[in-house]
Amino acid sequence: MGEGRVGRGLTRRDFLGLSAGAGAGIVLAGCGGGPQNNPAVQGSGGDGGKTYDGPKVELAFWNGFTGGDGPIMRQLVEQFSSEHENIQVGMTTVEWPEYYQKVPVAVRSGKGPDVAIMHSDQLGTNAARGVIIALDDVAGSLGLKEADFAPVVWKAGIYNSNRYGIPLDVHPLAFYYNKSVMEEAGLDPNKPPQTGDDYMAALEELKGAGHQGHWVTPFPFTGTLSFESILWQNGGDLYNADATKATFNSDEGVEALTWLVDLVKKGYSPENVGDGAAGTAFENGKNIFHWDGVWTIAVWKEVEGLDWGIAPLPRIGSGTGFWAGSHNFVIMNQPSADPNKVQASKVFINWISEHSIDWADAGQIPARKTVRESSAFDELPQSPVAAQLDSAHFVPPVPGIGDVQPETFDIAVNEAVLLRKEPKAALDEAASRADQLLEENRQKYQA
Amino acid sequence: MATQQAEQPRAGASPPPGKQPQGAKRERRDFIGASPVTPYLFMAPYLVLFFTFVLAPVVYGFWISLHEWDYLLPGKPFVGLQNYVELFTPGSVTSGPFWKSMEATGKFTLYSAPLLVLVPLGVALILNRKFPGRTFFRAVYFAPYVLGVAVVAVLWRFLLDPNIGLVNYYLGRLGLPDGIPWTTAVPWVWVTLVGVTVWWTLGFNAVIYLAGLQDIPRELYDAASVDGANAWQRFLHVTIPGLRPVLLFVVTVTILASANMFGQSYLITNGGPGDDTRTAIYYIAETGLRQFNMGSASAMSFMLALFLILISIVNFAFFRQRED
């Protein structure tokens, strides 16, 4: 069958054309139905896809919100179901790492969700593997366009010039600080350091007061995320434009990693920080400047006696920049899809997107501009971070890109921060392996 | 095997030479008094399971290992033995990490298997004595085994955290070094992984040993005592020979279990530092289930299986030799 076409990531139309073909069994195994049932092709939803008045349907909605964000999403889903008599949504939560293994299997066996959440960097892989379908027509019928979102976020959902995700939120890396300890150490708790020099001076101050101020974690969360952020601040990038070569071992990358390693060497961070220990230490007032995702806001809120603040990452490099992820709504490649369900899914996506101010209680920054610019959002702790949203950087949605990081610069950051290897040596080694993996991916997905 | 060989000459005592096998077969059939398919029918339920869940997947797995295989991509090109060749080609995408992960598996097995064979034996010998509270202690030693690997690993990851863990905290209180990197630096990660595994699984082997110990006839000990054997001699000449079949089982199962270690290093050390504790199963799982390179992953699985088969053969040979 048409391997090349699927390899380049297929749009819904391509896919339907294919599925009518002889070899469809590979992707469609066990599924009935046919292309004529597909509402997207028919262009149903004459009202712009914002309402649904068909028979009662039940939607399966899957995501990986296992943290403090889970209950908030569940509540939103319940509210949606109570407001829509003919659409009932059942939510299933699976931890993210497992999620990306389970969803493709479920879709393949015809038991997948109708609508789901995926991170923007996973869209390319899942589009190329035929797990999710292009949503240009969904965005079109809902009247969603770039101007409704932050451009960086909107673009992160595009793979192979097709849209595969409707962005729900942005979750950047942010800078948390312990106000009471800063005050004790003679720092102004209302003026967190925002430049590299101020930051180092503040760490020195804290060190004088007996605090190791910035715990550097040798694990992806958030050691690697910190490395990526500073790399981008320095003007570097992880990969070249078409993601065929690794560039994270550039001078900008080495400088970024060296900065982190020096924090350990100069005693601003303890050695051998365990996975998750920096966050726990922040709760206990031992780690004072903590870099973590905005999704941890919900955690700090619950810690009694912790007087914390949040700011955008300090500018360590020559420019602003920080790592960010984005949760996107996706629709699964279910050839037997009931047109009513697809229409109901659109209504659901649009409704949650419009209500994403409630979702922001989980610490997330809503992707939708109207919500982000509302006065309700201004009052939330993450709003200062949102102000710099244009400096957010995303891992590009290239198929298989998610497999490169754990094998390469995650390991380099780990070994350098644990002082086992020099930053440059670690990054060079990782980069040559990354080149191999990128080449392998390119062949595999025939991009 | 042994019974079959013993039976044949007896059953086929009279038939003319050359026709012995046939005659033997007929005689036996008469003896059973049933159709020749009867034994197979009795075995059928197990065979169905064996073919469906063991043999078929093995054959299918081998077939997969001859391809570039992502179950969702329509193209699954046949590549022959390429996936195997790559494992033996220095500098290829898979060979470096694979052999490093085999090394990690080998190290873990080497460190953990002796402890998991000896420590439970000691525990079983103690628990086999009569003393008040014996049943309670038997339960205590077995208890960790009922926990899942996730519980065990998360628990110990917190306890052993280098900076905020309880273990280092109390070591510090006792005036001992309190900065031991239990989960982030060699060799401590191995101490952690082996220690946690021994704590977690020793109960299983201990229970097997206990059952074996209770099968050794008391009279043998009495006889040995009468002959003037001391406790050590009784252990060496009565207990150990009596436990030989159990030992073979324990050694084999322990080596296989250790060679399949995955959860502990996945959850406690994240395979680190670097990828020093990323075991073979860990790497195979990442390759096959996260990167969906199932062809390579299958080839690696066959290599690992080959090693385990060889080790098991050596193991059986060793114990059989000593039986003579």
Side-chain angles (χ1 to χ4, degrees):
Chain A
M1 69 182 281
E3 299 150 24
R5 303 181 67 183
V6 176
R8 284 194 306 272
L10 69 187
T11 65
R12 180 184 294 160
R13 261 163 263 255
D14 283 345
F15 176 78
L16 294 168
L18 267 180
S19 70
I26 303 266
V27 186
L28 303 186
C31 301
Q36 68 279 7
N37 289 337
N38 202 304
V41 176
Q42 298 168 330
S44 78
D47 54 354
K50 286 176 182 161
T51 57
Y52 169 73
D53 41 21
K56 187 168 175 172
V57 288
E58 278 185 34
L59 294 182
F61 171 47
W62 288 19
N63 58 57
F65 299 132
T66 51
D69 44 7
I72 294 176
M73 183 52 86
R74 195 170 288 280
Q75 212 177 343
L76 272 171
V77 166
E78 276 165 19
Q79 193 190 336
F80 173 84
S81 294
S82 68
E83 286 182 19
H84 295 78
E85 269 180 16
N86 52 355
I87 310 175
Q88 296 302 305
V89 181
M91 177 166 133
T92 302
T93 307
V94 183
E95 283 211 341
W96 288 121
E98 271 180 61
Y99 181 83
Y100 289 114
Q101 295 175 13
K102 283 188 177 165
V103 169
V105 184
V107 171
R108 164 79 198 264
S109 60
K111 297 193 167 99
D114 299 297
V115 57
I117 298 283
M118 282 191 181
H119 291 95
S120 57
D121 58 346
Q122 288 280 343
L123 296 176
T125 309
N126 284 287
R129 301 181 79 227
V131 178
I132 56 177
I133 53 176
L135 299 177
D136 300 275
D137 46 3
V138 173
S141 66
L142 290 174
L144 299 177
K145 42 193 186 303
E146 181 169 323
D148 299 325
F149 295 82
V152 276
V153 188
W154 185 245
K155 284 181 185 132
I158 297 174
Y159 160 66
N160 244 0
S161 53
N162 285 303
R163 164 156 306 281
Y164 283 89
I166 306 287
L168 167 66
D169 64 41
V170 190
H171 42 270
L173 192 64
F175 164 37
Y176 301 96
Y177 47 96
N178 184 318
K179 290 184 176 177
S180 36
V181 177
M182 278 176 80
E183 199 158 15
E184 277 167 37
L187 296 166
D188 182 352
N190 296 315
K191 274 181 81 181
Q194 286 288 289
T195 67
D197 290 344
D198 287 356
Y199 197 79
M200 296 314 285
L203 283 178
E204 190 57 39
E205 231 17 71
L206 287 167
K207 196 178 173 185
H211 296 288
Q212 292 183 306
H214 178 145
W215 287 35
V216 184
T217 304
F219 296 98
F221 291 90
T222 54
T224 304
L225 303 186
S226 305
F227 161 71
E228 289 172 287
S229 299
I230 305 170
L231 165 73
W232 281 314
Q233 289 187 353
N234 286 340
D237 210 339
L238 294 171
Y239 310 105
N240 63 359
D242 54 355
T244 52
K245 287 271 177 221
T247 55
F248 54 74
N249 62 333
S250 59
D251 290 348
E252 292 86 355
V254 175
E255 209 177 297
L257 188 51
T258 305
W259 186 81
L260 285 170
V261 170
D262 282 349
L263 292 183
V264 181
K265 284 187 177 165
K266 291 176 183 162
Y268 299 129
S269 164
E271 289 180 22
N272 299 306
V273 176
D275 199 6
T280 312
F282 181 67
E283 289 181 33
N284 299 335
K286 291 181 91 178
N287 180 15
I288 318 303
F289 291 166
H290 180 50
W291 295 18
D292 212 330
V294 286
W295 58 87
T296 53
I297 287 176
V299 179
W300 316 136
K301 271 189 200 165
E302 301 296 318
V303 182
E304 244 174 80
L306 178 65
D307 188 11
W308 58 280
I310 177 174
L313 289 194
R315 194 168 139 172
I316 305 301
S318 49
T320 52
F322 46 82
W323 174 92
S326 168
H327 290 127
N328 279 248
F329 283 105
V330 292
I331 293 186
M332 297 301 156
N333 187 359
Q334 287 182 336
S336 59
D338 174 349
N340 290 324
K341 281 191 171 185
V342 176
Q343 180 56 26
S345 298
K346 284 190 203 175
V347 174
F348 175 69
I349 292 173
N350 195 42
W351 188 92
I352 296 279
S353 174
E354 279 171 348
H355 288 72
S356 53
I357 186 65
D358 295 323
W359 177 237
D361 277 342
Q364 310 284 351
I365 296 171
R368 202 139 172 169
K369 203 171 178 181
T370 47
V371 178
R372 203 163 3 94
E373 287 174 352
S374 66
S375 56
F377 183 71
D378 280 344
E379 287 162 23
L380 291 172
Q382 66 267 38
S383 61
V385 182
Q388 288 194 5
L389 205 55
D390 291 338
S391 319
H393 285 262
F394 298 86
V395 174
V398 177
I401 203 81
D403 307 330
V404 180
Q405 175 181 335
E407 288 283 304
T408 58
F409 57 91
D410 272 353
I411 294 179
V413 170
N414 181 276
E415 303 208 281
V417 172
L418 290 173
L419 309 181
R420 279 160 52 102
K421 275 189 186 152
E422 285 303 313
K424 182 163 170 47
L427 287 172
D428 283 345
E429 198 178 306
S432 70
R433 177 144 177 79
D435 288 346
Q436 275 186 320
L437 292 169
L438 290 168
E439 174 59 24
E440 192 186 56
N441 278 342
R442 215 169 56 83
Q443 282 177 5
K444 179 175 167 184
Y445 296 105
Q446 293 160 7
Chain B
M1 285 293 261
T3 50
Q4 213 174 2
Q5 276 163 357
E7 222 172 276
Q8 262 181 1
R10 214 187 306 143
S14 51
K19 286 193 170 179
Q20 195 176 348
Q22 243 184 345
K25 218 184 262 172
R26 199 183 305 131
E27 288 266 310
R28 202 159 0 146
R29 194 194 305 161
D30 293 346
F31 175 68
I32 294 166
S35 128
V37 294
T38 307
Y40 301 100
L41 281 177
F42 272 104
M43 285 191 288
Y46 176 74
L47 282 179
V48 168
L49 294 177
F50 178 78
F51 276 105
T52 317
F53 293 106
V54 180
L55 202 61
V58 167
V59 173
Y60 190 43
F62 183 70
W63 179 244
I64 287 177
S65 78
L66 303 177
H67 297 74
E68 294 276 338
W69 192 288
D70 177 333
Y71 70 99
L72 276 182
L73 291 182
K76 300 181 179 64
F78 181 83
V79 294
L81 293 174
Q82 188 59 33
N83 287 325
Y84 294 90
V85 171
E86 274 190 16
L87 290 180
F88 292 97
T89 311
S92 75
V93 178
T94 48
S95 72
F98 175 68
W99 291 108
K100 192 163 181 197
S101 73
M102 287 290 277
E103 189 189 322
T105 293
K107 278 185 185 164
F108 179 77
T109 310
L110 200 65
Y111 303 149
S112 68
L115 286 172
L116 282 170
V117 169
L118 293 178
V119 175
L121 179 59
V123 169
L125 287 170
I126 294 169
L127 293 179
N128 199 34
R129 290 162 172 267
K130 285 204 172 74
F131 61 91
R134 183 175 70 163
T135 314
F136 171 74
F137 282 104
R138 284 183 179 179
V140 165
Y141 278 96
F142 189 73
Y145 188 72
V146 305
L147 298 174
V149 66
V151 177
V152 169
V154 170
L155 174 78
W156 283 101
R157 200 179 83 191
F158 280 123
L159 292 176
L160 290 170
D161 188 281
N163 289 293
I164 56 169
L166 273 181
V167 171
N168 272 350
Y169 174 75
Y170 282 111
L171 285 177
R173 289 284 291 266
L174 293 170
L176 296 164
D178 63 353
I180 298 175
W182 296 108
T183 57
T184 54
V186 281
W188 300 105
V189 282
W190 292 117
V191 175
T192 297
L193 292 173
V194 170
V196 167
T197 307
V198 169
W199 172 80
W200 179 36
T201 62
L202 76 83
F204 177 76
N205 284 354
V207 165
I208 306 282
Y209 280 132
L210 258 181
L213 287 172
Q214 285 162 6
D215 263 1
I216 300 173
R218 271 237 60 88
E219 303 86 68
L220 292 179
Y221 288 102
D222 294 341
S225 298
V226 169
D227 286 345
N230 62 24
W232 174 245
Q233 286 167 327
R234 285 199 301 272
F235 172 73
L236 216 58
H237 298 294
V238 180
T239 309
I240 291 294
L243 281 181
R244 189 168 290 149
V246 174
L247 265 173
L248 171 65
F249 174 78
V250 168
V251 169
T252 309
V253 166
T254 302
I255 290 178
L256 294 183
S258 291
N260 284 329
M261 193 272 269
F262 165 62
Q264 296 94 308
S265 63
Y266 184 68
L267 293 164
I268 298 178
T269 63
N270 297 37
D275 52 2
D276 280 18
T277 59
R278 183 164 71 171
T279 58
I281 296 281
Y282 190 157
Y283 184 58
I284 291 169
E286 283 202 332
T287 309
L289 300 176
R290 184 171 299 178
Q291 301 167 18
F292 306 109
N293 290 328
M294 289 166 178
S296 293
S298 300
M300 293 178 208
S301 304
F302 274 94
M303 292 309 301
L304 178 63
L306 196 68
F307 269 85
L308 295 182
I309 289 169
L310 288 177
I311 290 171
S312 296
I313 288 174
V314 170
N315 195 8
F316 271 88
F318 176 74
F319 277 90
R320 187 179 300 158
Q321 205 176 22
R322 299 194 54 183
E323 236 166 78
D324 297 334

